[in-house]
């Protein structure tokens, strides 16, 4: 009986219907489901591509692990911390970092910037030297050679690698008392820009300098650090290494993984993705009412056939299965065709980069297996519920004239 119900349902879907209206609304339901599934799959694939793009954009912003002091800016017991890191075989490299806001002036133009002082090992942890598109990364032979972010350099019009053109960095001095002279307000140093790198929206207005320059501007002793950035041999073990280092280094240390350093950023991305999913889930839910219309019209059109089947002893439960299977087949057809069309559109965008977010940046797409599962489950859930609800036809409806 079950197989008979499925056979009849498949004939209702594939065979020529008794009425043009039934044929039209049935395939309209398939088409509507296909379009909704295609749209949802493409949008989710774009967000998967955006995740990879954002990971690339912030790859040089934070290291696998970042070690800071839990009280105050400057790390205490720095030689002890460095000794522990050197002995750990799971750590590929680490670098001292000091970062502060500064005021930079050149030829009467001024701006607020972020000065990040790093040691010579920094490029092993964060290979920012690979992003230099004009000039060179500082040689660290002189403490005043710096790398500058592109938009900041454009605003100030500072020449690159010019031994005659120096900009000046001003660092406010902490303290109390009466100001008697200019030197009581701030420390200042002349800097030479040796290269330019793109900030990628994450490092806007940044200046990368030797750590000695920040130590001088802040009146810190040599070999100081606000934080230590760590590169692991296996970044996937970041959480395990964090726990090991915390147990070794004590309570005065705060350690964050790359994900924790970017927690607010990823929370925003995931929230946007959730809202997009809910919006398209609602679209699919609304689309399934086409399916309800198709089942109702099919019941009206095939009422005489249903009456004949009941008269011949066909169980009412199996008659209901016919309408349920018909709805399920419409849903499955829409999902399969929608995923095929969505995949084709994603590959089209991947290879042609036809659709662009701006003049230079195409919308990124990434096809992953979980996206197929998310879309299929969402559409199937709504479709099966609607099919089940509207297949519950009563015997009185069929037998009455």
């Amino acid at each position: 009986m079950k197989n008979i119900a499925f056979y009849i349902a498949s004939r209702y879907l594939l065979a020529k219907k008794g009425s043009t209206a039934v044929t039209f609304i049935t395939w309209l339901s398939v088409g509507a489901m296909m379009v909704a599934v295609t749209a949802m799959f493409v949008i989710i694939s774009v967000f998967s591509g955006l995740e990879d793009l954002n990971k690339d954009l912030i790859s040089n912003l934070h290291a696998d692990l970042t070690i800071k002091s839990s009280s105050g800016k400057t790390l205490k017991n720095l030689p002890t911390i460095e000794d522990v890191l050197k002995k750990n075989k799971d750590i590929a490299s680490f670098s001292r970092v000091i970062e502060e806001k500064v005021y930079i002036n050149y030829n009467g133009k001024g701006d607020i910037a972020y000065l990040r002082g790093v040691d010579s090992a920094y490029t092993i942890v964060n290979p920012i030297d690979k992003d230099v598109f004009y000039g060179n990364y500082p040689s660290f032979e002189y403490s005043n050679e710096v790398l500058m972010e592109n938009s900041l350099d454009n605003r100030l019009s500072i020449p690159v690698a010019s031994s005659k053109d120096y900009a000046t960095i001003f660092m406010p001095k902490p303290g109390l008392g009466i100001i008697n002279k200019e030197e009581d307000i701030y420390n200042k140093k002349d800097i030479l820009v040796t290269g330019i790198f793109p900030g990628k929206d994450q490092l806007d207005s940044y200046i990368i300098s030797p750590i000695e320059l920040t130590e001088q501007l802040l009146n810190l002793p040599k070999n100081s650090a606000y934080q230590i950035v760590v590169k692991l041999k296996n970044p996937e073990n970041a959480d395990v290494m964090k726990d090991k280092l915390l147990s070794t280094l004590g309570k005065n240390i705060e350690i964050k993984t790359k994900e924790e350093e970017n927690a607010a950023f990823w929370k925003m991305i995931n929230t946007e993705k959730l809202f997009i999913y809910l919006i398209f889930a609602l679209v699919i839910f609304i689309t399934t009412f086409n399916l309800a219309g198709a089942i109702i019209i099919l019941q009206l059109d095939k009422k005489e056939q249903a009456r004949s089947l009941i008269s011949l002893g066909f169980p009412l439960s199996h008659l209901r299965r016919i309408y349920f299977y018909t709805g399920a087949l419409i849903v499955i057809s829409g999902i399969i065709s929608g995923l095929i069309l969505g995949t084709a559109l994603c590959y089209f965008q991947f290879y042609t980069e036809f659709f662009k977010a701006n003049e230079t940046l195409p919308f990124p797409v990434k096809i992953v297996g979980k996206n197929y599962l998310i879309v299929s489950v969402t559409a199937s859930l709504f479709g099966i519920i609607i099919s089940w609800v509207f297949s519950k036809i009563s015997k009185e409806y069929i037998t009455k004239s």
Side-chain angles (χ1 to χ4, degrees):
M1 284 289 187
K2 292 181 180 179
N3 291 335
I4 292 175
F6 183 80
Y7 173 76
I8 295 174
S10 62
R11 293 290 296 173
Y12 280 170
L13 180 68
L14 299 175
K16 187 177 180 180
K17 314 295 187 303
S19 123
T20 305
V22 176
T23 304
F24 175 77
I25 197 166
T26 299
W27 289 106
L28 177 64
S29 300
V30 173
M33 181 63 71
M34 178 187 72
V35 172
V37 167
T38 299
M40 187 177 189
F41 179 78
V42 170
I43 293 298
I44 292 180
S45 297
V46 169
F47 263 87
S48 297
L50 285 172
E51 285 183 4
D52 283 357
L53 178 63
N54 286 318
K55 285 179 181 179
D56 180 62
L57 289 175
I58 64 174
S59 60
N60 293 335
L61 185 61
H62 297 293
D64 296 329
L65 293 176
T66 302
I67 302 174
K68 301 178 182 178
S69 173
S70 58
S71 58
K73 287 187 175 182
T74 307
L75 279 169
K76 303 173 181 66
N77 301 321
L78 188 59
T80 303
I81 297 172
E82 290 182 324
D83 187 56
V84 170
L85 297 178
K86 287 177 182 177
K87 291 179 180 179
N88 195 308
K89 296 180 181 179
D90 295 318
I91 293 176
S93 185
F94 62 90
S95 172
R96 294 182 296 123
V97 176
I98 298 175
E99 185 174 310
E100 280 285 2
K101 269 187 177 182
V102 295
Y103 178 78
I104 179 171
N105 180 274
Y106 173 75
N107 200 22
K109 296 180 180 179
D111 208 338
I112 302 296
Y114 295 90
L115 180 64
R116 178 178 289 186
V118 301
D119 61 23
S120 57
Y122 183 73
T123 52
I124 302 176
V125 180
N126 285 338
I128 198 170
D129 56 324
K130 295 180 180 179
D131 291 336
V132 177
F133 65 86
Y134 186 75
N136 300 293
Y137 189 76
S139 65
F140 284 78
E141 184 178 353
Y142 304 100
S143 64
N144 67 336
E145 293 183 342
V146 303
L147 184 70
M148 186 169 290
E149 189 268 327
N150 183 46
S151 65
L152 178 63
D153 184 74
N154 286 339
R155 291 196 299 270
L156 299 177
S157 303
I158 304 174
V160 177
S162 173
S163 58
K164 297 179 180 180
D165 295 283
Y166 290 86
T168 305
I169 286 181
F170 297 85
M171 179 75 72
K173 282 184 178 180
L176 302 171
I178 299 173
I179 298 174
N180 295 316
K181 52 185 177 178
E182 183 181 336
E183 287 75 10
D184 295 333
I185 305 174
Y186 48 74
N187 290 325
K188 63 178 182 178
K189 290 286 182 180
D190 291 335
I191 58 169
L192 173 67
V193 179
T194 64
I196 304 296
F197 74 100
K200 298 180 180 179
D201 295 329
Q202 301 296 323
L203 290 173
D204 279 349
S205 301
Y206 263 78
I207 301 171
I208 309 297
S209 76
I211 199 168
E212 290 79 13
L213 178 63
T214 52
E215 289 172 343
Q216 294 166 13
L217 288 168
L218 292 164
N219 295 325
L220 294 173
K222 288 186 176 181
N223 298 318
S224 298
Y226 281 3
Q227 60 188 35
I228 293 179
V229 291
V230 180
K231 181 178 177 62
L232 301 176
K233 291 181 179 178
N234 185 3
E236 294 180 359
N237 294 334
D239 291 320
V240 176
M241 283 302 305
K242 172 187 172 180
D243 294 336
K244 286 183 179 179
L245 291 175
L246 280 173
S247 62
T248 305
L249 297 175
K251 297 181 179 179
N252 295 326
I253 295 299
E254 177 184 327
I255 303 177
K256 289 187 177 182
T257 62
K258 183 179 290 188
E259 287 72 21
E260 290 170 337
E261 286 284 297
N262 295 298
F265 176 77
W266 288 116
K267 184 178 180 180
M268 177 189 70
I269 293 294
N270 290 331
T271 301
E272 289 179 353
K273 190 173 182 179
L274 175 62
F275 273 100
I276 289 294
Y277 169 76
L278 292 175
I279 290 170
F280 276 90
L282 179 61
V283 170
I284 288 180
F285 176 70
I286 294 172
T287 302
T288 54
F289 283 97
N290 284 305
L291 174 64
I295 294 174
I296 292 171
I297 291 180
L298 183 65
Q299 290 170 354
L300 293 170
D301 187 68
K302 304 297 182 182
K303 188 174 181 179
E304 291 300 323
Q305 294 181 13
R307 187 179 297 169
S308 300
L309 288 172
I310 292 294
S311 300
L312 292 170
F314 197 75
L316 179 63
S317 60
H318 289 74
L319 183 63
R320 289 171 175 172
R321 282 179 187 156
I322 292 174
Y323 300 129
F324 173 76
Y325 289 152
T326 303
L329 288 172
I330 292 173
V331 172
I332 292 170
S333 301
I335 291 173
I336 292 174
S337 56
L339 291 177
I340 292 172
L341 180 58
T343 303
L345 286 173
C346 287
Y347 275 111
F348 173 78
Q349 173 65 9
F350 182 79
Y351 287 109
T352 66
E353 298 182 345
F354 182 79
F355 301 100
K356 297 184 181 293
N358 55 41
E359 293 181 356
T360 58
L361 179 64
F363 280 105
V365 291
K366 182 182 180 182
I367 299 175
V368 292
K370 69 176 182 179
N371 291 347
Y372 288 98
L373 181 63
I374 290 171
V375 176
S376 299
V377 169
T378 303
S380 298
L381 179 64
F382 290 133
I384 289 172
I385 290 174
I386 292 293
S387 299
W388 181 80
V389 169
F390 285 88
S391 66
K392 296 299 178 180
I393 191 169
S394 66
K395 188 173 183 180
E396 290 75 15
Y397 170 79
I398 298 171
T399 56
K400 71 179 181 180
S401 299

